[in-house]
Amino acid sequence: MTHRVGIVGGDGIGPEVIAEGLKVIAAAGVELDTVDYDLGGSRYLQDGVVLTDEIVDEWRTLDAIYLGAVGTPDVPPGVIERGLLLKMRFDLDLYINYRPFSCGPDSANTSPMSSGEEAEFDFVVIRENTEGAYAGEGGFLRKNTPHEIATQGSVNTRLGVERCVRYAFELASRRRKHLTLVHKTNVLTFSGDLWERTFNEVADAYPGVETAYNHVDAACIYFVDDPRRYDVIVTDNLFGDILTDLGGAVSGGIGFAASANLHPGRVSMFEPVHGSAPDIAGTGKANPTAAILSGALMLDHLGEDQAAERIRKACEDPDSLSGSTTEIGDVIAARL
């Protein structure tokens, strides 16, 4: 089967790491019919285009989108983030952000925090991806005066929270049957209450899944001190954004951090967590492993489970994955 996939190489190292991801996918025997899209900071500087509704409509006809990285120093902060990445998530309703983290002999990386058996872990963070503080609710009063007021609300709906929580329970039931809710219910007494009530009500349908709750500040400590306690974590958009960057740090660095932006059963987007790193673009120093592992998540979504697992196995033993961007890609492809 040939899968139709949109390619957004983007800026900086984005096109370089996506090229290696495509090389590895081809080596795994999966055929893609790719459609290239020139989007990102560089495109915006050329003609002011960030992401049009027409392109979003085209994406709805695809099976997946594979994105490298977007953003350049010459574009003001927020233009590309809100106009491209968030618009994509909102317009395509990519309500699940799926980020796996692992460390140990069967993973692609080793933790910089500690060594030995106690440092081995394997967990997934499920982040709600379309609501919360990133929904854009808020505004200014008396802007640019001494009495300026800025508000930024957190938008949480029962529908949005429940579908995210239910996805996390389904995932936990297929893994080690443990799910942790992370929030700040003692202070955020409205959004936190909605999340906690929904979590507890959905839990009744999954009696085989053990549950736990952590405040987000405590979870940050546990990520460093005791990540083995986690199997699946579910959390809101803002907390998930912060926690998953920390997860990348404790599991070997963002060069290994893959992610999926999912709407199960519909077109979804897959990207490495790292940025465009314009300072090393074109030098061959970028590690493509995160993009390659994101490609494996894309293959899971496309039903190519065996090829995806082969790619993950090929990314193991990170000490042997050294050299330039293309050399690392060549080594992983050769293992397939």
Side-chain angles (χ1 to χ4, degrees):
M1 180 182 293
T2 299
H3 308 282
R4 201 153 181 264
V5 175
I7 305 298
V8 184
D11 302 305
I13 64 172
E16 301 171 40
V17 297
I18 287 297
E20 300 311 306
L22 292 172
K23 176 197 299 180
V24 169
I25 289 170
V30 178
E31 186 174 347
L32 302 181
D33 176 14
T34 60
V35 183
D36 291 314
Y37 292 91
D38 178 18
L39 297 170
S42 297
R43 170 67 185 275
Y44 173 77
L45 291 172
Q46 291 173 22
D47 57 16
V49 170
V50 181
L51 176 60
T52 66
D53 292 339
E54 289 75 18
I55 291 176
V56 174
D57 287 340
E58 285 183 29
W59 284 347
R60 291 192 176 97
T61 70
L62 304 178
D63 298 313
I65 301 162
Y66 194 23
L67 187 147
V70 291
T72 62
D74 297 329
V75 178
V79 172
I80 302 302
E81 292 84 352
R82 293 208 67 88
L84 200 163
L85 295 176
L86 292 187
K87 178 178 173 61
M88 180 191 304
R89 292 173 184 173
F90 295 160
D91 287 7
L92 297 178
D93 198 23
L94 306 178
Y95 64 90
I96 294 295
N97 188 276
Y98 177 109
R99 295 195 184 181
F101 301 99
S102 60
C103 174
D106 296 325
S107 69
N109 49 333
T110 55
S111 173
M113 310 306 296
S114 58
S115 60
E117 184 178 341
E118 71 278 2
E120 298 176 12
F121 57 81
D122 173 19
F123 66 88
V124 177
V125 176
I126 300 301
R127 163 191 170 192
E128 199 290 317
N129 213 28
T130 61
E131 297 187 347
Y134 292 0
E137 190 276 333
F140 292 101
L141 291 174
R142 297 187 286 275
K143 189 174 183 180
N144 296 321
T145 76
H147 303 288
E148 180 173 348
I149 300 171
T151 62
Q152 191 82 58
S154 178
V155 178
N156 301 266
T157 68
R158 173 67 189 223
L159 171 65
V161 173
E162 183 172 341
R163 65 182 181 175
C164 180
V165 167
R166 196 170 294 279
Y167 180 94
F169 269 104
E170 287 288 337
L171 178 63
S173 69
R174 299 192 302 269
R175 286 174 51 94
R176 299 194 304 276
K177 297 179 171 52
H178 189 279
L179 177 61
T180 303
L181 170 64
V182 173
H183 211 281
K184 192 68 175 173
T185 56
N186 59 335
V187 176
L188 303 178
T189 53
F190 301 120
S191 62
D193 183 73
L194 173 58
W195 272 87
E196 189 168 44
R197 280 187 291 110
T198 304
F199 182 84
N200 291 337
E201 290 168 17
V202 174
D204 291 339
Y206 297 87
V209 176
E210 183 181 358
T211 61
Y213 171 79
N214 291 159
H215 289 324
V216 65
D217 44 347
C220 289
I221 295 172
Y222 297 143
F223 266 42
V224 177
D225 285 351
D226 186 23
R228 295 208 305 176
R229 69 169 53 212
Y230 294 120
D231 176 23
V232 180
I233 294 167
V234 64
T235 190
D236 86 339
N237 207 337
L238 176 59
F239 294 148
D241 194 2
I242 296 167
L243 281 175
T244 51
D245 282 353
L246 179 57
V250 301
S251 58
I254 58 174
F256 298 99
S259 77
N261 297 265
L262 302 171
H263 188 123
R266 290 181 11 192
V267 60
S268 296
M269 187 268 280
F270 304 84
E271 62 173 332
V273 175
H274 60 66
S276 60
D279 56 321
I280 62 170
T283 67
K285 294 180 180 179
N287 185 342
T289 306
I292 292 169
L293 291 171
S294 297
L297 292 176
M298 181 173 69
L299 295 188
D300 287 327
H301 174 72
L302 296 174
E304 301 282 359
D305 299 349
Q306 293 184 359
E309 190 57 34
R310 289 174 59 217
I311 289 174
R312 282 188 280 269
K313 293 288 291 182
C315 290
E316 293 175 9
D317 188 16
D319 292 338
S320 66
L321 297 178
S322 60
S324 68
T325 306
T326 56
E327 287 170 343
I328 294 174
D330 288 342
V331 169
I332 294 172
R335 292 176 179 177
L336 295 162

